[in-house]
Amino acid sequence: MSDISITAGQADDRADAAPAGLGRTAVLALGTFAVGTDAFVLAGFLPDVAASLHVSTGGAGQAVTVFAAAYALASPLVATMTARVPRRALLVAALVLLAVANAGSALAPNLPFLLVTRVLAAVAAAAYTPTAGAVSVALVRPELRARALAVVVGGLTVATALGVPLGDAIGAVMGWRAALWLVAALCLVTAVAAGALMPSLPGGMPVPLRARLAALRHPGVAAVLPLTALGMTAAYTVYAYAVPAFAGVGVSGSGTTWMLGFYGLGAVAGNLASGIAADHLGPVRVLAVGYTLMAASLTGFALLAATGLRAPVAVGVASAVWGAASWCQTPPQQHRLIEAAPAQAPLLVALNSSAIYLGIGAGTVIGGLAVPAGAGTMFTIAAVLALTALAWLATTDRTPTSAR
């Protein structure tokens, strides 16, 4: 994660240029779209990857798990090692590395080779995404922070809305390797755009890894970060195995692409709405609604799987609600972290990103173990995890530094 120092004069300039700052966050969002497409596109065709590499679907799911785990572990290390690097140069270099990693994944002859390239991609993503979040905060006035963060995170959610379904469709026609080649090309195009359009911002003073991890002892931070991981675990227990999960509720083939699209559209709407709502209503209220809706939608899926009822319209609606609830979490969680310790905002955004990917990794492990038990079991476990997240929020929202 980047550490950005802003002088008083720069802060005044930032306030005067807030609309331009929000506009520039769109460039950052284009990069998170590329990163998000890379991170999530494999979920759309894990069975095809498994067949191509002669492993089980759960084995192929290790590609998602390894990416998430490597991202979570690499994020604080990369932040420490790249602290002095100018921000624009770091963003461009990360995108180029991500392109190289995707090209390697597209050429993978076996699962171990694929896993190595996913680790490389995770390191690149760990350099890009937190840096983009911190830069977005530096470009706007404090009252627009949640909105700016929502725009940047919106790149990830648009990736679920467009990147994953399109990747699934392309994979069905041309194969999963072609989809990864397209992701590599997207990363290179975005690198050129970032280099040309992003403002020049200096790096900061290196923050020792021990100091970064010391932030975990802050009461507000200790309450928020586990919730980020828990909420994403609930969201990804099923999402990483969407193909067999949707098959369990009577949706397969091109229908899966449509349902992933509904999920993604809900994710975009939920992310953007939560950023605005968190500014006006408070992040805790937004999160409470989100976890409630997530549990309700996952419970609905579980009931459909258990009864064998085929209701594609209901599945589409539930998919959109599931997506909205899954991706409404990040802006209010980041908002809570920044309010808990404003002076450590860049560091906390980085730690939150690590928590997100720890949750994704944990979810893919749990989902992979549950795949043999069937879709009903997968959805039930995910619903219980969403309710657990809601309970955690209820027991921690009154900490002295927690924003309501």
Side-chain angles (χ1 to χ4, degrees):
M1 181 63 205
S2 62
D3 296 304
I4 301 172
S5 300
I6 302 174
T7 65
Q10 288 173 317
D12 291 338
D13 292 341
R14 181 185 67 184
D16 293 339
L22 278 175
R24 284 169 174 167
T25 59
V27 177
L28 298 172
L30 181 62
T32 53
F33 172 78
V35 171
T37 301
D38 174 54
F40 308 132
V41 72
L42 282 176
F45 39 71
L46 278 182
D48 294 335
V49 175
S52 177
L53 301 182
H54 308 292
V55 296
S56 67
T57 298
Q62 293 179 40
V64 180
T65 303
V66 164
F67 180 99
Y71 181 105
L73 296 174
S75 187
L77 297 174
V78 170
T80 301
M81 296 171 62
T82 62
R84 294 184 183 273
V85 179
R87 303 297 90 183
R88 181 169 59 193
L90 180 57
L91 293 171
V92 171
L95 289 166
V96 171
L97 179 59
L98 197 63
V100 172
N102 272 276
S105 295
L107 295 170
N110 51 50
L111 182 60
F113 190 95
L114 177 63
L115 296 182
V116 170
T117 61
R118 301 320 295 156
V119 170
L120 184 63
V123 172
Y128 181 86
T129 306
T131 302
V135 169
S136 73
V137 170
L139 293 176
V140 299
R141 296 189 301 267
E143 64 269 23
L144 296 177
R145 283 174 177 169
R147 212 165 305 175
L149 287 168
V151 171
V152 174
V153 176
L156 296 175
T157 56
V158 170
T160 68
L162 299 177
V164 174
L166 286 177
D168 181 62
I170 292 169
V173 175
M174 302 173 60
W176 62 274
R177 297 180 189 275
L180 290 176
W181 278 114
L182 289 177
V183 173
L186 174 63
C187 292
L188 288 178
V189 170
T190 308
V192 173
L197 300 177
M198 282 302 300
S200 178
L201 288 171
M205 293 298 294
V207 178
L209 184 59
R210 179 179 298 178
R212 293 179 181 276
L213 298 180
L216 296 173
R217 293 196 295 268
H218 191 288
V221 174
V224 173
L225 286 179
L227 181 60
T228 294
L230 182 58
M232 295 308 292
T233 300
Y236 273 80
T237 292
V238 178
Y239 184 79
Y241 303 94
V243 175
F246 281 128
V249 293
V251 176
S252 59
S254 63
T256 301
T257 301
W258 280 102
M259 296 309 164
L260 287 172
F262 291 141
Y263 175 98
L265 291 174
V268 172
N271 174 74
L272 294 177
S274 71
I276 296 171
D279 284 332
H280 294 284
L281 302 177
V284 170
R285 293 182 179 88
V286 174
L287 290 166
V289 172
Y291 293 130
T292 300
L293 290 176
M294 188 191 302
S297 61
L298 291 167
T299 299
F301 281 125
L303 290 174
L304 289 174
T307 61
L309 180 64
R310 297 301 177 245
V313 173
V315 173
V317 172
S319 296
V321 174
W322 176 29
S326 297
W327 284 97
C328 79
Q329 303 177 68
T330 305
Q333 281 289 88
Q334 290 182 333
H335 193 282
R336 294 176 76 200
L337 286 168
I338 291 172
E339 288 202 353
Q344 296 176 298
L347 168 60
L348 295 178
V349 172
L351 290 174
N352 196 56
S353 294
S354 291
I356 288 172
Y357 281 92
L358 278 175
I360 292 173
T364 56
V365 169
I366 294 171
L369 294 174
V371 166
T377 299
M378 294 169 65
F379 285 121
T380 299
I381 292 173
V384 170
L385 288 170
L387 289 174
T388 304
L390 182 62
W392 180 277
L393 178 67
T395 58
T396 60
D397 75 334
R398 295 185 183 278
T399 55
T401 54
S402 178
R404 295 189 64 80

